[in-house]
Amino acid sequence: MQQLLFPDDPQFWFETLRVFGHASYGGADFGEVVATSARITPGDYDSWHDAWLATAARVAGEAERAEAAGHRISARDGYLRASTYYRTAEFFLHDNPDDPRISYAYGRGVDCFRAAVCRIDGAAEPVEIPYEGTVLHGYLYRAAAADGERLPTVLMHSGFDGSAEEMHFFGAQAGAERGYHVLVFDGPGQPSAIHRHKLTFRPDWEHVVTPVLEHLLATEPTADPDRVALLGVSLGGMLAPRAAAFEPRLAALVALDGVYDASSVATVALGIDRETLYRRAHADRDDELDQVLEHVRAASPTMRWAFGHGRFVMGAPDPRRFLAAYLDYHVRDGVAERISCPTLVCAAEDDLFFAAQDGGAAEPDQLFEHLTCEKTMLRFTEDEGADAHCQAGAQRLAMARIYDWLDDTLR
């Protein structure tokens, strides 16, 4: 897709396209996004934060005044857009986890989301899921069930940088309006877990999904235990398959988009084979690799952001320690082959992170090749306006195809 804004910065453009896409489900307005982008200096994280925070505060203020005057629909719509803009404001600040602007914008975004979706609209309710002595936070979207009826349910989570609140636009609302229960949650390393409990990422995601599934089955009597699907977005396209490989109670799996080995982004960017990179990243000291990582960060807007955010969510003290942790995020070594439920693998034609590089297969294709279960590949193209990572900017199209597959698979 042509970069309509920030032509020299693919990361700024992708995050802007991501916001545009949320307009499909009420999470943004086109003019607000364009006007905000016009105030941003390309490549300047402070400028990005200031512009989006100003828009978020203005829209939230209008929503508060609308609610006070009894205009509930206007208030709901404003709060929902403001939640997106607050999340976007703090997106690039994570290289310094102590920056107070992060927690402020995050907290305001969650408050606005809950005002819109939970308090005013009543579409979902906040939930706390017991997890290893603490809780995971999320939302339950409960569809209407007739007496004695049990409904299919989708467990749903984001990936490296998305939140449970953002999943409203990436599948939760789409599922609820089709008659599915949807349980959205943040796992370790994801926003509510890292902000509230300092829980950093872990690759063995089955230890996250299994407690969520058990909580659903124990607390929601209208959920059909034989029709529970799992959907993961972005890095979730690797985390969800990892969980499904060890959780046989799942009836279906959606990898949006599919990822076989997330660390391929780093191995390709660094030009170092996986085995060598693993050894060097785990060494007590490697000054040369440290210098290479700094060079890559300086040369690539995407790597600059990824290493900064990665240190934040992995709890890594420096870029090389983050890289060492990130190399564990894969379904190699026979893990993908263990998945037994029907699986849908989504693929974007021009994925910023996981497209084919240096003559190798794209990550969705590698995952698909290793699956031995019933499997379906769903490709999205530039002609459809859906070629971006996780079909950002084409959520209605993507959700239609994904839920049609789920309807047929879980029928």
Side-chain angles (χ1 to χ4, degrees):
M1 183 185 298
Q2 181 182 357
Q3 292 185 208
L4 302 178
L5 299 168
F6 307 109
D8 298 321
D9 192 325
Q11 192 63 46
F12 267 29
W13 162 243
F14 175 75
E15 293 310 320
T16 305
L17 177 62
R18 182 170 172 174
V19 178
F20 274 133
H22 294 346
S24 297
Y25 288 97
D29 224 355
F30 183 88
E32 290 171 346
V33 179
V34 172
T36 304
S37 299
R39 301 196 302 269
I40 296 172
T41 302
D44 186 329
Y45 287 177
D46 291 329
S47 172
W48 175 278
H49 164 269
D50 294 349
W52 283 111
L53 190 73
T55 297
R58 178 183 61 77
V59 175
E62 290 190 13
E64 290 165 358
R65 292 189 292 275
E67 185 177 18
H71 306 303
R72 292 176 60 81
I73 301 302
S74 299
R76 178 202 63 190
D77 290 354
Y79 283 131
L80 195 57
R81 301 197 316 278
S83 73
T84 295
Y85 303 151
Y86 275 119
R87 180 200 66 80
T88 305
E90 53 99 6
F91 186 84
F92 286 107
L93 300 179
H94 298 166
D95 199 26
N96 176 15
D98 296 324
D99 189 330
R101 295 177 296 177
I102 298 173
S103 59
Y104 173 77
Y106 170 74
R108 286 290 292 143
V110 172
D111 289 345
C112 287
F113 179 83
R114 292 188 173 192
V117 174
C118 303
R119 187 177 74 236
I120 297 177
D121 207 40
E125 63 183 58
V127 296
E128 294 185 350
I129 301 164
Y131 171 78
E132 297 193 354
T134 182
V135 295
L136 301 177
H137 300 271
Y139 301 92
L140 177 62
Y141 296 72
R142 188 180 285 108
D147 288 345
E149 183 182 17
R150 290 193 165 189
L151 298 179
T153 303
V154 183
L155 307 181
M156 190 176 295
H157 59 78
S158 191
F160 188 53
D161 55 82
S163 67
E165 290 77 22
E166 190 184 17
M167 290 303 296
H168 180 82
F169 315 109
F170 267 123
Q173 184 179 348
E177 65 189 14
R178 287 171 168 83
Y180 287 80
H181 292 326
V182 179
L183 178 55
V184 178
F185 65 94
D186 278 338
Q190 295 173 334
S192 60
I194 198 78
H195 282 284
R196 299 186 186 190
H197 307 295
K198 307 302 181 186
L199 296 174
T200 55
F201 262 112
R202 60 186 298 174
D204 51 351
W205 206 248
E206 65 274 17
H207 295 294
V208 179
V209 168
T210 291
V212 174
L213 175 60
E214 290 177 347
H215 174 79
L216 169 77
L217 298 179
T219 60
E220 183 47 63
T222 62
D224 186 342
D226 296 324
R227 291 190 293 165
V228 179
L230 175 65
L231 182 151
V233 173
S234 192
L235 182 62
M238 170 262 135
L239 296 170
R242 165 74 198 210
F246 298 96
E247 179 45 83
R249 290 173 290 181
L250 295 171
L253 169 67
V254 179
L256 175 65
D257 291 335
V259 180
Y260 182 65
D261 184 349
S263 68
S264 65
V265 176
T267 57
V268 171
L270 297 172
I272 303 174
D273 68 85
R274 194 178 196 286
E275 183 178 346
T276 301
L277 189 58
Y278 188 92
R279 173 178 52 79
R280 295 184 64 182
H282 284 82
D284 291 336
R285 181 170 180 173
D286 192 323
D287 294 341
E288 180 184 4
L289 180 57
D290 290 341
Q291 292 175 1
V292 170
L293 295 179
E294 287 304 315
H295 173 74
V296 169
R297 291 181 68 197
S300 167
T302 296
M303 289 299 169
R304 175 191 175 197
W305 161 76
F307 274 89
H309 177 75
R311 290 177 54 228
F312 176 55
V313 296
M314 299 281 185
D318 56 61
R320 185 161 56 84
R321 298 317 199 285
F322 156 63
L323 180 60
Y326 196 62
L327 286 163
D328 290 334
Y329 287 76
H330 61 81
V331 286
R332 301 164 63 94
D333 306 323
V335 173
E337 287 82 352
R338 292 179 58 112
I339 299 170
S340 58
C341 63
T343 298
L344 177 65
V345 178
C346 300
E349 188 175 45
D350 189 26
D351 193 304
L352 177 62
F353 307 101
F354 298 120
Q357 301 183 59
D358 291 351
E363 286 300 311
D365 292 289
Q366 293 189 55
L367 174 62
F368 190 80
E369 179 184 352
H370 282 269
L371 293 173
T372 58
C373 58
E374 178 185 335
K375 58 186 179 180
T376 302
M377 174 67 82
L378 184 54
R379 299 188 185 277
F380 293 89
T381 69
E382 182 178 8
D383 285 345
E384 299 165 334
D387 58 326
H389 178 62
C390 299
Q391 294 76 64
Q395 273 103 307
R396 283 282 178 182
L397 172 67
M399 290 305 122
R401 293 179 180 174
I402 289 167
Y403 276 102
D404 287 354
W405 180 85
L406 281 170
D407 287 347
D408 294 340
T409 300
L410 299 179
R411 179 170 294 146

